[in-house]
């Protein structure tokens, strides 16, 4: 027997991994060596991902950490597979979000953007961006994002602005951008249109007021939650088949408080079963009413100004805030005896600005729109024809529901921070759209449109504007179309669809990506949405500080099933940290015992069953992980790695290898240990980059895992005999451990044992390993078995005979068993009582009854086992 630890064996690994001591230094080394910067002129096949650009206002929240983990996992693997990989970083100017923050600062200083003026406000906003923006970029480094910082972009940089001007003019010239009055989401605080993405719908307690228009037989009752809008009513609508109102259809009734008369019209949109079956029609302040107004060519007066104050209604309420007017108008109607009923509180959904938090106001306004019909059709066809795949496939239905029913897109915002609409108006009503490098018209009276473009307009160009479009750059030629878009299903409509429309339009029918991989939202461990109000919001930076970046990333990936929400808890992150510790200790043990990484691995025929088994399992792991990652099954691939490392490699192979390291098999065992760790660390690197880089470079002495090759299967023929023998050993060891526990033998206590039948079962070479794993001594002279059992293994029958004399405290063991017996007898009695009670069995679900039946059988088996054990014990 040779020494377990060869004298020349050593390790540079400390006793434990300290993430804080290595993460920053490792990341900086990767960047400085240019690992993340691809060469557009190389012959390698390209693989491109553009980052979903975080807002310049942002900091790293748990959703970013989750999404970036998945993207980095993909890009690191592809880099190792030999692709010319580009993960292009950047930020979004976040028009409304930044606008709100800067205006808040100005308000604190006692001023406003209007007092400051447009030019000074823009200058102030750029200064704000320089001071506060980009915080998230530093945090992306902390997370380990392997992005190419040399290609960092911003949606309002010079190149992006050029792309915006180019596509706006192209769309304008082709009649796909137009200006018109339409109903929009209006923020009175911001005095701007909001996109649907910037409106949060919340259940609020309001009031439902029923009021009577007209008098006597020529009267009708309508209900509303927004009494103030009645000043803008231009009709009352009923269903054409509603017999109650046939005599009123086509007549005029008095609109209270206004001095106006409005028609009663018939429209099939009205539900005669809801309320009174009659609805007030306010076309300029309600989406459904707007459509009715268009169908019946109704007037559409706007009775609120940009700040949500009643205006131009011709009533005493002009100048009142909308909420003040709501009360005043209701009381004025009450004074006239027109309030028929009131329901308060009345729970209903109200849209709120996600930035300024106030209720939005549907408002008719002159705005710029994109005519999405032909663009949306192309975006739908690209998926239907297989040019773009949506993963998981079941999400395609949601995509088609949106793309096939898309309304024209309002792209103008009444803000100053953003891409200004490149349209000039002349003194005589002229309208000119300018592209890049074009000069505004000369002469007096010309002015540029005051509005800026919706943030989604510039971010919709992201996959190609970031690569240099409209110029025909080397980057564009090499890296477009991008390979995969990884993003949340929640912005499938808002961002993904716009990129599809613009990419297909600008790039001659070539979609912006081959695959759309959709993930869910991160939720707490109970599946609840994270909310500051609930108090369950998680700061990923805190967990990274406490458990290390790899532990957070591993937890994220392990929960990432395609298209489904991801629960996460501190306990699970701590568990991932423990997994890293397990791998660290295993690698350190292997290195201390002289593990080497050499090619080729010793010939299979020269190896033990344990060696051949673990190498076969390793090949299966490589194949399984590859297949799962190709299918974006991050959770399953990470789970497979977890169980291989913890269950098969650490719990079984390392223990079996310890015996082999002490004899003439040591050299081959060291090679197998080194090879398995080499492959496992490569497979784990995309999800746990810092830990694996530290371990792998120490194990191999090589430069970096970032640029190491991705592992492939060995091609060796699997050995089913070795697998069967190891399975037999696992069963044998597990049953001996259970038997020892039943006998009351402490885990670390050695017991003289005879193993009969090992030769016939083909397990002779593994006998020493079995004895080591379960603390069994060779039987000496005069050995007498006091306990035994027979085990039928896949390879044969083995009899285990143990001398337990002197190993247990009989009195204590009887007391313990008696306690266990009482517990199981109580459990059995409870189950029997339930199953014999018709009131339970007749009413309980079948699954519940089945569960009680299973518990009864388990209790009976335990009682039988404990009774037999008590009978086998000698007297105390």
């Amino acid at each position: 027997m040779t020494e377990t630890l060869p004298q020349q064996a050593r390790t540079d690994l400390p006793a434990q991994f300290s993430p804080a001591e290595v993460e920053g230094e490792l990341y900086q080394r990767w960047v400085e060596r240019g690992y993340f910067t691809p060469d557009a002129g190389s012959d390698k096949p390209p693989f491109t991902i553009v980052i979903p650009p975080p807002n310049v206002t942002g900091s790293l929240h748990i959703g970013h950490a989750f999404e970036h983990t998945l993207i980095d996992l993909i890009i690191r693997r592809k880099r190792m597979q030999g692709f010319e990989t580009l993960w292009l970083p950047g930020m979004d100017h976040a028009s409304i979000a930044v606008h709100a923050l800067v205006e808040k600062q100005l308000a604190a200083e006692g001023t406003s953007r209007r007092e400051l003026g447009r030019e000074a406000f823009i200058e102030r906003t750029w200064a704000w961006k320089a001071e506060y923006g980009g915080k998230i970029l530093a945090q992306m480094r902390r997370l380990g994002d392997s992005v190419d910082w040399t290609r960092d972009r911003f949606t309002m940089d010079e190149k992006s602005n050029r792309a915006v001007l180019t596509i706006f003019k192209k769309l304008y010239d082709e009649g796909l951008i137009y200006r018109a009055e339409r109903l929009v989401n209006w923020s009175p605080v911001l005095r701007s249109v909001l996109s649907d993405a910037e409106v949060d719908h919340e259940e609020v307690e309001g009031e439902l007021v029923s009021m009577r228009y007209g008098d006597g037989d020529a009267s009708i009752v309508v209900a509303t939650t927004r009494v103030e809008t009645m000043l803008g009513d231009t009709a009352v609508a009923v269903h054409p088949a509603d017999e109650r109102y046939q005599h009123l259809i086509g007549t005029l009734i008095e609109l209270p408080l206004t001095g106006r008369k409005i028609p009663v019209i018939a429209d099939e949109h009205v539900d005669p079963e809801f309320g009174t079956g009659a609805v007030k029609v306010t076309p300029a302040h309600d989406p459904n009413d707007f459509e009715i107004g268009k169908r019946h060519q109704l007037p559409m007066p706007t009775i609120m100004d940009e700040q949500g104050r009643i205006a131009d209604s011709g009533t005493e309420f002009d100048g009142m805030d909308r909420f003040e007017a709501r009360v005043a108008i209701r009381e004025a109607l009450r004074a006239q005896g027109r309030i028929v009923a009131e329901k308060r509180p009345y729970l209903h959904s109200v849209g709120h600005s996600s930035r300024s938090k106030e209720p939005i106001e549907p408002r008719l306004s002159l705005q710029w729109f994109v005519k999405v019909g032909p663009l949306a059709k192309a975006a739908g066809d690209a998926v239907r024809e297989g040019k773009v795949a949506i993963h998981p496939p079941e999400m395609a239905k949601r995509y088609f529901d949106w793309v096939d029913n898309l309304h024209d897109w309002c792209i103008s915002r009444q803000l100053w921070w953003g891409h200004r609409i490149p349209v000039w108006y002349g003194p005589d009503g002229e309208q000119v759209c300018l592209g890049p490098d074009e000069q505004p018209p000369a002469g007096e009276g010309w002015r540029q449109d005051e509005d800026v473009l919706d943030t989604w307009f510039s971010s919709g160009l992201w996959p190609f504007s970031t690569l240099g479009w409209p110029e025909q750059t080397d980057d564009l030629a090499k890296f477009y179309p991008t390979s995969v878009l990884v993003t949340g299903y929640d912005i499938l409509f808002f961002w993904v669809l716009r990129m599809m429309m613009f990419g297909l339009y600008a790039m001659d029918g070539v979609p912006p990506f081959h695959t759309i991989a959709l993930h869910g939202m991160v939720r707490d461990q109970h599946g609840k949405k994270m909310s500051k109000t609930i108090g369950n919001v998680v700061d990923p930076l805190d967990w990274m500080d406490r458990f290390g970046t790899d532990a957070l990333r591993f937890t994220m990936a392990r929960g990432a099933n395609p298209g489904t929400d991801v629960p996460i808890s501190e306990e699970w992150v701590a568990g991932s940290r423990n997994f890293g510790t397990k791998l660290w200790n295993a690698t350190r043990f292997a290195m201390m015992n002289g593990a080497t990484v050499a090619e080729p691995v010793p010939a299979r025929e020269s190896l033990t069953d344990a060696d051949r088994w673990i190498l076969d399992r390793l090949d299966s792991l490589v194949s399984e992980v590859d297949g799962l990652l190709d299918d974006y099954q991050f959770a399953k691939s990470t789970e497979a790695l977890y169980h291989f490392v913890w269950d098969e490699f650490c719990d079984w192979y390392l223990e079996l290898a310890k015996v082999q390291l002490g004899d003439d098999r040591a050299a081959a065992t060291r090679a197998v240990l080194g090879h398995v760790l080499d492959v496992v660390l490569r497979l784990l690197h995309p999800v746990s980059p810092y830990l694996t880089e530290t371990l792998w470079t120490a194990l191999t002495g090589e430069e970096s895992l970032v640029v190491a090759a991705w592992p492939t299967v060995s091609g060796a023929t699997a050995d089913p005999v070795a697998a069967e023998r190891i399975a037999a050993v696992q069963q044998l060891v597990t049953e001996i451990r259970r038997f020892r526990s039943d006998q009351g033998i402490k885990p670390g206590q050695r017991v003289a044992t005879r193993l009969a039948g090992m030769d016939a079962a083909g397990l002779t070479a593994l006998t020493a390993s079995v004895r080591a794993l379960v603390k069994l001594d060779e039987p000496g002279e005069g050995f007498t078995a006091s306990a035994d059992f027979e085990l039928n293994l896949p390879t044969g029958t083995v009899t285990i005979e143990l001398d337990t004399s002197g190993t247990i405290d009989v009195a204590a063991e009887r007391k313990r068993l008696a306690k266990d017996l009482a517990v199981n007898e109580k459990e059995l009695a409870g189950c029997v009582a339930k199953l014999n009670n018709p009131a339970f069995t007749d009413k309980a679900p079948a699954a519940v009854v089945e569960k009680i039946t299973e518990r009864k059988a388990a209790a009976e088996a335990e009682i039988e086992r404990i009774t037999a054990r008590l009978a086998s014990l000698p007297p105390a």
Side-chain angles (χ1 to χ4, degrees), residues 544-561:
M544 290 158 71
D545 287 339
R546 292 163 57 197
F547 304 112
T549 296
D550 291 303
L552 177 67
R553 288 173 58 120
F554 193 88
T555 306
M556 295 289 195
R558 199 175 177 191
N561 289 299

Side-chain angles (χ1 to χ4, degrees), residues 52 67 402 456 487-497:
E67 185 169 84
W402 281 328
W456 298 105
T487 191
Y489 61 69
D490 56 318
I491 57 172
L492 179 60
F493 168 70
F494 303 112
W495 185 46
V496 179
L497 195 49

Side-chain angles (χ1 to χ4, degrees), residues 522-538:
V522 181
R523 298 183 178 270
D524 71 11
Q525 60 184 316
H526 305 296
K528 292 182 179 178
K529 183 179 180 180
M530 291 191 179
S531 160
K532 291 180 181 178
T533 304
I534 299 174
N536 62 349
V537 174
V538 168

Side-chain angles (χ1 to χ4, degrees), residues 457-678:
F457 191 94
S458 52
S459 60
L461 313 180
W462 192 248
F464 51 95
S465 67
T466 51
L467 297 174
W469 187 91
E471 311 305 325
Q472 296 304 307
T473 64
D474 291 342
D475 276 2
L476 193 64
K478 178 73 173 180
F479 297 113
Y480 188 91
T482 66
S483 305
V484 60
L485 174 73
V486 179
T487 191
Y489 61 69
D490 56 318
I491 57 172
L492 179 60
F493 168 70
F494 303 112
W495 185 46
V496 179
L497 195 49
R498 282 154 175 73
M499 286 191 288
M500 285 285 285
M501 291 192 300
F502 279 167
L504 289 159
Y505 176 73
M507 300 301 294
D508 299 321
V510 179
F513 20 74
H514 296 302
T515 302
I516 302 168
L518 297 170
H519 60 73
M521 311 298 290
V522 181
R523 298 183 178 270
D524 71 11
Q525 60 184 316
H526 305 296
K528 292 182 179 178
K529 183 179 180 180
M530 291 191 179
S531 160
K532 291 180 181 178
T533 304
I534 299 174
N536 62 349
V537 174
V538 168
D539 181 358
L541 297 171
D542 173 57
W543 282 355
M544 290 158 71
D545 287 339
R546 292 163 57 197
F547 304 112
T549 296
D550 291 303
L552 177 67
R553 288 173 58 120
F554 193 88
T555 306
M556 295 289 195
R558 199 175 177 191
N561 289 299
T564 61
D565 290 342
V566 183
I568 191 171
S569 75
E570 180 177 315
E571 179 184 357
W572 300 337
V573 182
S576 296
R577 187 266 318 273
N578 295 342
F579 170 76
T581 300
K582 185 88 167 178
L583 180 59
W584 181 273
N585 291 338
T587 308
R588 191 167 182 269
F589 166 82
M591 291 178 64
M592 291 177 68
N593 283 275
T596 59
V597 178
E599 293 293 344
V601 177
R604 292 288 179 104
E605 57 270 17
S606 68
L607 300 177
T608 65
D609 286 336
D611 296 335
R612 291 195 292 275
W613 166 74
I614 197 65
L615 290 174
D616 288 345
R617 290 297 306 124
L618 186 67
D619 270 347
S620 295
L621 177 70
V622 171
S623 180
E624 181 181 9
V625 168
D626 265 336
L628 290 169
L629 289 180
D630 285 343
D631 196 37
Y632 304 100
Q633 299 277 358
F634 305 109
K636 290 181 179 178
S637 66
T638 308
E639 192 76 5
L641 286 163
Y642 176 92
H643 286 294
F644 176 85
V645 170
W646 195 294
D647 300 342
E648 297 182 287
F649 182 67
C650 292
D651 284 359
W652 287 107
Y653 181 71
L654 277 186
E655 297 305 314
L656 294 168
K658 286 176 181 177
V659 174
Q660 298 177 183
L661 287 167
D663 56 34
D664 58 3
R665 300 172 292 181
T669 301
R670 293 186 193 109
V672 173
L673 274 172
H675 175 72
V676 173
L677 283 168
D678 174 34

